[in-house]
Amino acid sequence: MHSAATFCFGLLLNLARGAILDKRAALEDCILGTSTTVDDVGSEDWERDSTPFNERLQFSPAAIAVPTTVEQIQGAVACGAKLGFKVTPKGGGHSYASLGLGGEDGHLIIELDRMSTVTLDKETNIATVESGTRLGHLASELFAQGNRAISHGTCPGVGISGHILHGGFGMSSHSRGLALDWVAGLNLLLANGSLVHASATENPDIFWGMLGAGSNFGVVTSFELNTFEPPANVTWFVAMLPWKKEDTVAALESLEDYVLNTMPPELNMRIFATRQFTQLEGIYQGSKTDLEAALAPLFEKTGGSVSQAQETTWLKGLEHFATVKLNQTHPYTQMQENFYGKSYELKGLNGTAAQNFVDYWFDIAKNETTRWYVQLDLHGGKNSAVWNVDPTLTSYAHRDKLYILQFYMTMAENPDDTYKFLDDWASTTIAPLPASDYGMYFNYPDTRLNRTTAQDMYWGKSLPRLQQLKAELDPDELFYYPNSLSPATPAAEI
């Protein structure tokens, strides 16, 4: 009886595997029928397109479609919907949580990075940008075509779509705002197969939802981006902060006062701390002399001094923080790291919260030899362009926060040690704070959150309206990942 039962179980398992393979074969046949390329499993393209940034989170797609036209995107998405697959657009593949690969096995991936054309209208200074473009290519093209720019992050291989649609903080955000603040319009493929254009005046509800939670509603095929003329000269810098435990809470509180009230709009910077050192690093949109004058009142209270600074051009400033070639296009080789990360957006870091953060930093973290860092992005303040935007214009929920605090650690031999180290540091930091004083930044996602907590942390006060929009645009969750928006139920509609 036992052997017969085992045989039957094995037969059922093989039949199930066969059904999955048949379903995937049907998906590939359907996509190929739309004249869209599909990566062959095991090929060089498959390996490149399925390699995650975070080596810890490797997922196996059902298929990878590689469109080069809007019509091919439509066709591939229609195939996924018809055959019951979740569909995930992938821009740069730099997600900490491998969300560009679905965040789990079995998704149809729409690999967009072959669609990366950037066209600047020199009369309006609006750029039309295909959604598979990477940040470094966007920056290079805008500068080459007309000495223009937008505000964005520092990593040139990051795709513009995920970056823009969930905020887009970077080394010009204090001066120029978030990347999403430069979006004038976008073209979007919805779950029902229709193409729509969204802007502040056309489909404004969709536009609002896309700018802050855009991965939940469809596939962006192109953006229209406003641009600015970058300054002729910028100055990148590093300043060492020789903080000791007994001085650090006071230093953090002085920093907070500076960011809130004094930090000039031209100055963009962050604290970067490891076991070995603590430093300020950033870029000033102006001269080295003006940078030194801007930092002087801060250093009078916190200590520290500039150890490196160089006045240079806008593009050279971007290249400095890129650390690799700026202009990244296909074929792109994904650099991999094996890590766990999480973040909080905070209204401040002072008092007991600062003391808790500092105690853990000096008493525990500095004794941990596995590689880690914390990064405190200076996000807000009265002179910050992030704060000087009406918060109701987009669904980005944390425009009122002063900081983005990121925790990062390379995976230890025992992964649970890594999780505990970062989770304990983060949780002790926010323990004294009311819930209204913190949230989380989607572009530094935490893979250990359950879906309910994730939605609340990422989208905060925007969540009810976003869930209603999800119910209207994608009620069957074609565009799903483990911490995506859940559609509003009838009882929860607003």
Side-chain angles (χ1 to χ4, degrees):
M1 292 292 292
H2 176 74
S3 60
T6 302
F7 172 78
C8 289
F9 177 77
L11 178 61
L12 289 171
L13 185 61
N14 287 332
L15 288 172
R17 287 173 176 167
I20 292 171
L21 291 173
D22 287 346
K23 189 177 178 184
R24 290 183 174 183
L27 177 62
E28 288 194 13
D29 287 345
C30 181
I31 296 169
L32 290 169
T34 70
S35 300
T36 305
T37 299
V38 178
D39 284 348
D40 291 328
V41 176
S43 67
E44 183 178 349
D45 282 337
W46 174 277
E47 294 302 319
R48 181 183 292 112
D49 293 338
S50 64
T51 296
F53 170 62
N54 191 344
E55 191 175 350
R56 178 172 66 91
L57 299 168
Q58 310 243 11
F59 299 115
S60 178
I64 302 176
V66 188
T68 56
T69 67
V70 173
E71 292 74 20
Q72 289 177 354
I73 296 174
Q74 277 186 294
V77 171
C79 288
K82 174 183 175 182
L83 295 169
F85 288 90
K86 298 300 183 185
V87 177
T88 299
K90 175 172 170 278
H94 202 269
S95 167
Y96 285 17
S98 298
L99 297 181
L101 296 172
E104 62 184 7
D105 293 335
H107 284 220
L108 165 59
I109 307 304
I110 310 297
E111 175 59 73
L112 295 168
D113 78 343
R114 278 63 155 184
M115 299 179 65
S116 60
T117 300
V118 178
T119 306
L120 178 68
D121 184 322
K122 295 181 181 179
E123 292 187 5
T124 64
N125 288 318
I126 293 175
T128 300
V129 184
E130 289 187 309
S131 57
T133 305
R134 299 179 188 274
L135 293 181
H137 182 59
L138 173 64
S140 299
E141 286 297 308
L142 290 180
F143 192 81
Q145 292 183 35
N147 188 33
R148 306 297 292 182
I150 73 161
S151 174
H152 57 75
T154 58
C155 298
V158 168
I160 66 166
S161 290
H163 184 70
I164 287 175
L165 295 175
H166 303 105
F169 183 85
M171 277 295 181
S172 55
S173 290
H174 192 260
S175 302
R176 306 286 183 165
L178 301 169
L180 61 75
D181 294 328
W182 293 91
V183 180
L186 54 84
N187 291 297
L188 176 68
L189 175 66
L190 297 174
N192 65 9
S194 63
L195 285 163
V196 298
H197 183 264
S199 68
T201 57
E202 187 178 3
N203 294 304
D205 285 345
I206 295 177
F207 190 63
W208 174 87
M210 291 298 294
L211 299 184
S215 58
N216 292 278
F217 303 114
V219 182
V220 176
T221 62
S222 64
F223 295 89
E224 293 125 32
L225 303 177
N226 292 313
T227 62
F228 63 84
E229 181 179 352
N233 296 301
V234 301
T235 304
W236 64 261
F237 70 94
V238 175
M240 302 311 296
L241 300 174
W243 291 351
K244 298 178 181 178
K245 182 182 177 182
E246 60 268 24
D247 306 321
T248 299
V249 171
L252 286 172
E253 292 179 341
S254 294
L255 173 70
E256 185 164 323
D257 179 70
Y258 177 82
V259 177
L260 277 169
N261 300 303
T262 306
M263 183 173 168
E266 297 85 3
L267 182 56
N268 300 267
M269 59 184 182
R270 64 194 179 201
I271 289 180
F272 185 83
T274 72
R275 180 172 177 261
Q276 294 85 6
F277 63 85
T278 303
Q279 66 186 33
L280 272 176
E281 54 188 29
I283 199 157
Y284 184 84
Q285 296 193 1
S287 70
K288 183 178 177 181
T289 300
D290 289 344
L291 165 68
E292 292 169 345
L295 289 173
L298 175 65
F299 289 156
E300 286 176 8
K301 294 183 178 181
T302 64
S305 59
V306 173
S307 58
Q308 298 179 69
Q310 183 174 329
E311 189 171 334
T312 187
T313 65
W314 173 261
L315 215 57
K316 290 293 185 182
L318 296 178
E319 290 172 353
H320 169 76
F321 281 101
T323 69
V324 296
K325 176 185 174 184
L326 184 63
N327 193 354
Q328 297 286 341
T329 57
H330 176 79
Y332 176 77
T333 299
Q334 184 69 268
M335 294 183 292
Q336 287 192 285
E337 300 177 27
N338 186 16
F339 68 97
Y340 172 52
K342 61 192 304 165
S343 69
Y344 281 105
E345 298 207 49
L346 303 173
K347 286 188 176 179
L349 185 57
N350 55 64
T352 305
Q355 188 66 63
N356 290 354
F357 176 78
V358 169
D359 287 347
Y360 197 100
W361 180 2
F362 283 84
D363 295 343
I364 298 174
K366 280 187 172 291
N367 295 313
E368 174 55 64
T369 57
T370 302
R371 176 176 172 259
W372 60 264
Y373 69 76
V374 289
Q375 180 174 296
L376 188 68
D377 291 321
L378 309 185
H379 175 266
K382 74 175 188 180
N383 294 325
S384 171
V386 176
W387 275 18
N388 292 324
V389 172
D390 182 347
T392 67
L393 294 180
T394 71
S395 57
Y396 179 71
H398 301 303
R399 201 176 286 276
D400 61 336
K401 306 303 190 295
L402 190 67
Y403 298 135
I404 305 175
L405 174 60
Q406 180 183 178
F407 301 85
Y408 175 106
M409 188 177 188
T410 300
M411 296 305 294
E413 185 175 346
N414 180 356
D416 288 340
D417 292 342
T418 300
Y419 300 141
K420 178 174 171 45
F421 174 83
L422 285 195
D423 289 346
D424 285 356
W425 196 351
S427 61
T428 194
T429 299
I430 65 163
L433 301 178
S436 59
D437 281 6
Y438 63 89
M440 288 183 170
Y441 183 43
F442 186 92
N443 284 348
Y444 302 153
D446 183 347
T447 56
R448 286 164 56 81
L449 298 180
N450 64 50
R451 192 180 186 190
T452 299
T453 302
Q455 292 180 86
D456 184 57
M457 287 291 99
Y458 296 138
W459 295 299
K461 58 184 177 292
S462 296
L463 182 59
R465 184 177 170 190
L466 286 169
Q467 289 178 322
Q468 178 57 30
L469 190 63
K470 179 73 169 178
E472 295 169 5
L473 300 180
D474 186 21
D476 297 324
E477 299 188 82
L478 178 65
F479 302 109
Y480 167 89
Y481 47 88
N483 52 8
S484 60
L485 286 168
S486 54
T489 59
E493 291 180 0
I494 58 174

